[in-house]
Amino acid sequence: MASTNLSRFSEWGRKIICVGRNYADHARELQNPVPVAEPLLFLKPPSAYLRQGSPIRLPYYCRSLHHEVELGVVMGRGGSAIPQAGAMGYVGGYALCLDMTARDVQQRCKEKGHPWTLAKAFDCSCPVSEFIPKDRIPDPHRLTIWLKVNDQMKQEGHTSQMIFPIPYLINYISEIIRLEAGDLILTGTPAGVSAVQEHDELQAGIDDLVTMEFKVERH
Ligand code: MG
């Protein structure tokens, strides 16, 4: 089997599987039902990745671009129908991620029953931190993830509040979509999402383990 060097972005910037409404307080703030039976999934393409140093660009068709800070799980090994019991053995590491969302577009998609592609999958819709090796995070369900806009705290949530924990997500997703080494799973956002404007500065972190910064610019 070919070895994978996940410290190189090219080795982990692959498909992105996102989980919606995985924190009850965030589902409620948008007046969405809290999922109880199964996770809500959607995809972002590899062109959605954005590294630090590049700005977040407002899509030209969007009037309300929201930040959603999320813990990202980077797969170290691939598999289909990965059992929950051994699922953490497939994890290679983590990244802090933003699920940038064209909220006004998403609302129209929901009303029309359309897919969320225009709201969630546009270029640069997934700003990411550096890769965080697995051994730096012994328990990914005991982390505080936070996000500030212009130095003002907007989101501060604890990963213990996930409705569906990581082993459940890996099992559920890999029953439907084969997970490959380098794939990224976005595990959902806590409450506090809000709209960003041109010139805003976003700073986000996982406890004091990692921080990242992105500016917002016009398209
Ligand atoms: Mg999200």
Side-chain angles (χ1 to χ4, degrees):
M1 185 173 136
S3 65
T4 302
N5 179 3
L6 290 173
S7 63
R8 290 209 314 259
F9 181 74
S10 58
E11 300 289 337
W12 67 271
R14 294 173 60 86
K15 70 178 176 283
I16 306 166
I17 306 100
C18 306
V19 181
R21 301 174 195 164
N22 202 25
Y23 288 75
D25 56 354
H26 168 63
R28 286 192 204 101
E29 76 177 340
L30 295 182
Q31 281 90 48
N32 286 317
V34 178
V36 283
E38 53 189 24
L40 171 67
L41 300 184
F42 59 92
L43 294 170
K44 290 179 190 276
S47 53
Y49 282 102
L50 185 73
R51 308 301 311 278
Q52 286 186 86
S54 298
I56 295 168
R57 293 197 183 275
L58 295 157
Y60 70 89
Y61 53 84
C62 169
R63 295 290 169 269
S64 182
L65 182 66
H66 275 204
H67 55 78
E68 298 188 359
V69 68
E70 312 204 1
L71 178 67
V73 176
V74 183
M75 299 303 292
R77 284 202 285 151
S80 297
I82 298 168
Q84 277 193 60
M88 294 309 289
Y90 286 72
V91 173
Y94 303 92
L96 186 62
C97 307
L98 302 183
D99 168 16
M100 298 306 296
T101 302
R103 192 71 72 200
D104 53 336
V105 179
Q106 184 191 34
Q107 186 57 37
R108 289 200 293 276
C109 291
K110 284 185 195 172
E111 290 163 7
K112 292 178 182 170
H114 288 176
W116 292 358
T117 308
L118 269 71
K120 293 281 201 177
F122 52 88
D123 285 350
C124 310
S125 61
C126 191
V128 293
S129 71
E130 294 301 307
F131 174 76
I132 307 163
K134 187 179 179 177
D135 58 10
R136 289 188 58 203
I137 298 184
D139 184 352
H141 299 99
R142 293 186 60 175
L143 302 170
T144 299
I145 54 175
W146 55 268
L147 180 139
K148 295 176 182 175
V149 179
N150 303 329
D151 280 330
Q152 188 182 2
M153 189 67 81
K154 294 286 189 180
Q155 293 190 269
E156 196 170 16
H158 200 269
T159 55
S160 63
Q161 296 163 351
M162 285 183 202
I163 296 168
F164 300 103
I166 294 165
Y168 187 98
L169 294 175
I170 291 174
N171 170 254
Y172 181 83
I173 294 166
S174 67
E175 294 267 10
I176 303 162
I177 302 169
R178 180 181 165 77
L179 287 169
E180 297 165 303
D183 285 349
L184 176 68
I185 300 172
L186 264 56
T187 57
T189 197
V193 300
S194 68
V196 297
Q197 317 289 337
E198 186 182 9
H199 306 310
D200 279 350
E201 295 188 9
L202 276 56
Q203 187 183 29
I206 302 175
D207 293 307
D208 52 5
L209 266 179
V210 64
T211 58
M212 62 181 192
E213 293 180 15
F214 289 91
K215 277 191 175 178
V216 180
E217 290 185 4
R218 193 162 291 281
H219 195 270

